[in-house]
Amino acid sequence: LSCASFHERESNVHEPAGPGSTLEKAHYLRAKAYLQLGHHRHAAADVRKSIQCNPQNKEAKILRQQIEHRKVQIKRTNKKLASEMCSWINSATATSDDSPKNNNGSL
């Protein structure tokens, strides 16, 4: 069962969505699971739906902050990794006086 098909099935559910509803809890729990799997976009969508069901849900608001914090951490890590890779590539491909020469000293 893919995420997309699960979300399609979910749209057909006609349960009232309010504070303490099963739907609110389901969105919250699924958001936690998505966060653990690293599926931040799905986690953010589900926690947003949980908060829509119950805007007073403190746990969901804390989870939303955790998701955003994790996104920032990953973005920072990816940026640092990209910078390090560029530096490594630049140093590996930099021209220097040590370039190979043929026997008569010309390139």
Side-chain angles (χ1 to χ4, degrees), residues 15-27:
E15 177 186 328
S21 72
T22 304
L23 195 55
E24 173 197 353
K25 293 174 190 173
H27 285 303

Side-chain angles (χ1 to χ4, degrees), residues 64-78:
R64 179 178 58 191
Q65 290 174 339
Q66 291 172 344
I67 293 166
E68 291 305 315
H69 180 69
R70 186 84 57 94
K71 283 181 179 180
V72 169
Q73 283 180 320
I74 289 171
K75 191 173 186 177
R76 197 175 297 144
T77 301
N78 287 345

